[in-house]
Amino acid sequence: MAVTSMPASRSAAAGLSFAEMPGTQRAAALLLLLGEADGAPIWRMLEEDEVKKVSHAMVQLGSLEAEAVEHLIVDFVSRLSSSGGITSSFERTESLLLKIFPPEQVAVIMAEVKGASTRRVWASLTQIDPEILASFLRNEYPQTVAVILSRVRSDYAAKVLTILPEDFAIDVLNRMLRMETVQKEALRHIEEILRVEFVSTIAQTTRRDAHELLADVFNAFDRQTEIRFLTALDQANRGSAKKIRQLMFTFDDLMKLDAGSVQTLMRSVDRDVLARALKGASDPVRAYFFANMSSRSAKNMQNDMESLGPIRLKDVDEAQAKMTDLAKELAEKGEIMIAKNSAEEELVY
């Protein structure tokens, strides 16, 4: 994000202090900060009118100085951490809207929301392992199972039917053949059961933790920006700062690679990149890499590092970032294993 010299915590476009920035401008700034890759999932969840509002605010935002961006991130993470999450429901949402909009307008909005919610129930159901759904359905009435399987993808329904006891599955098939119009109340009851038993659980387990999201953002910062923001966050919310540090994957974390993995990484990286990355590394990190080279290779690498002479810290950061990114790519391909900060667990990115 562009950083210019301006009065502390003020928007270039509106001349507002951070505390006076409208919510749309804060959202616009956060989305700019997240960038294309990390921000895309959020953009896709916005409604068309919300996209327009945020886009308009983004155009009007101008440049923000570093202090304003710091306030934005610290405030965002602090709010998430202190709130402990939020809980909502159809009724709570409707009640809130009725305090803002006319009843007839709320009725139209909630009707559309209910329709969309119903569609999501059936779409989300197929994300469940067929074994799990079959285990649940074998205790239901065959007619209920027939209704459910008639509303999911045919290939998914086939998998579930092959898992169910044969006599039970045949009964369900016969009921599907004779399926008549299901009463709205009965269908609504089935959908609510599925939402409670499965869909809400899926949403809770797939929603990405805010600290994980911010850890990725911090990984993308240069070293100076990372240190500055984490220091500011330490003062405002030490707990969140600690969680973010634990989730971040940094160049120093490459020391957690086993011998085979670090050797694979060194064979895959450009020699000049490795030399620049190690040039600015701490002594323990250098020693770890050298210990996983032959004596001759380690000596040659030390000579390469010396021949570089003084280099900019920016070049070191870029080289180290390339190595951490490459490590993640190799891990995704299953060629190396990356350990988490906890010594007891391992995680493949």
Side-chain angles (χ1 to χ4, degrees):
M1 176 177 287
V3 176
T4 58
S5 177
M6 301 190 318
S9 304
R10 290 189 173 270
S11 164
L16 299 175
S17 67
F18 168 77
E20 296 170 328
M21 284 178 65
T24 50
Q25 283 196 352
R26 296 189 187 190
L30 280 171
L31 286 170
L32 278 172
L33 186 63
L34 289 173
E36 180 180 348
D38 291 315
I42 299 175
W43 280 107
R44 285 194 288 268
M45 288 189 287
L46 297 178
E47 300 292 341
E48 183 176 349
D49 61 328
E50 293 174 329
V51 172
K52 291 178 181 178
K53 289 178 181 178
V54 174
S55 299
H56 179 73
M58 193 173 287
V59 171
Q60 300 297 321
L61 191 62
S63 298
L64 293 178
E65 67 160 8
E67 184 181 349
V69 177
E70 286 181 25
H71 275 104
L72 184 70
I73 294 176
V74 172
D75 178 72
F76 175 66
V77 177
S78 297
R79 286 172 181 267
L80 284 177
S81 301
S82 61
S83 67
I86 57 175
T87 303
S88 187
S89 64
F90 185 92
E91 292 74 18
R92 184 174 179 181
T93 303
E94 185 176 38
S95 176
L96 174 63
L97 293 180
L98 285 170
K99 297 176 182 177
I100 305 171
F101 302 106
E104 58 273 14
Q105 186 177 354
V106 173
V108 173
I109 293 172
M110 297 312 293
E112 293 179 1
V113 169
K114 183 176 290 186
S117 177
T118 298
R119 290 191 295 272
R120 283 196 294 272
V121 168
W122 298 107
S124 299
L125 195 61
T126 55
Q127 298 178 33
I128 300 168
D129 188 318
E131 290 274 1
I132 296 175
L133 183 61
S135 178
F136 170 77
L137 294 180
R138 70 178 68 226
N139 298 315
E140 295 295 318
Y141 291 111
Q143 185 65 28
T144 301
V145 179
V147 172
I148 293 173
L149 294 186
S150 67
R151 289 179 171 268
V152 297
R153 293 198 323 263
S154 56
D155 60 325
Y156 184 79
K159 291 177 182 177
V160 174
L161 283 165
T162 57
I163 299 169
L164 292 172
E166 185 172 342
D167 291 345
F168 186 81
I170 292 174
D171 189 359
V172 170
L173 286 171
N174 284 323
R175 291 171 186 270
M176 291 174 70
L177 286 172
R178 301 192 302 271
M179 183 76 67
E180 298 178 356
T181 303
V182 182
Q183 293 183 350
K184 289 184 178 181
E185 191 59 37
L187 185 59
R188 187 178 299 114
H189 177 67
I190 293 173
E191 289 167 352
E192 187 58 30
I193 291 175
L194 294 174
R195 183 182 292 108
V196 172
E197 293 289 338
F198 296 110
V199 178
S200 60
T201 302
I202 292 174
Q204 291 171 8
T205 56
T206 58
R207 184 176 68 86
R208 193 177 184 196
D209 180 75
H211 294 92
E212 293 179 359
L213 177 63
L214 266 294
D216 284 346
V217 173
F218 275 71
N219 276 332
F221 286 146
D222 60 71
R223 184 183 299 173
Q224 288 72 33
T225 304
E226 172 196 317
I227 293 173
R228 190 170 73 250
F229 282 1
L230 280 174
T231 300
L233 191 56
D234 263 328
Q235 297 172 358
N237 194 320
R238 185 176 297 275
S240 289
K242 181 180 179 180
K243 287 182 181 178
I244 290 173
R245 282 193 177 92
Q246 291 173 341
L247 291 167
M248 288 175 65
F249 180 72
T250 66
F251 181 74
D252 288 352
D253 288 325
L254 294 178
M255 289 181 64
K256 298 185 178 78
L257 296 177
D258 59 73
S261 293
V262 73
Q263 289 165 11
T264 298
L265 174 62
M266 288 190 289
R267 287 195 299 269
S268 304
V269 72
D270 183 82
R271 187 177 182 86
D272 180 65
V273 172
L274 178 58
R276 291 176 183 276
L278 293 180
K279 177 84 173 179
S282 63
D283 289 340
V285 174
R286 287 187 190 178
Y288 179 74
F289 274 89
F290 290 151
N292 283 282
M293 301 179 190
S294 66
S295 299
R296 181 179 178 183
S297 296
K299 181 61 177 177
N300 289 338
M301 178 55 62
Q302 289 173 332
N303 291 336
D304 289 347
M305 290 162 58
E306 291 175 4
S307 67
L308 288 173
I311 62 175
R312 297 180 303 173
L313 184 58
K314 178 182 177 182
D315 294 332
V316 172
D317 287 343
E318 289 178 354
Q320 292 183 351
K322 286 181 180 179
M323 289 194 64
T324 54
D325 288 344
L326 178 59
K328 291 179 183 179
E329 290 176 12
L330 292 172
E332 287 174 356
K333 297 176 183 177
E335 297 181 23
I336 68 174
M337 179 71 75
I338 296 177
K340 290 179 67 176
N341 287 327
S342 169
E344 298 177 354
E345 297 179 297
E346 287 185 326
L347 173 67
V348 176
Y349 284 82

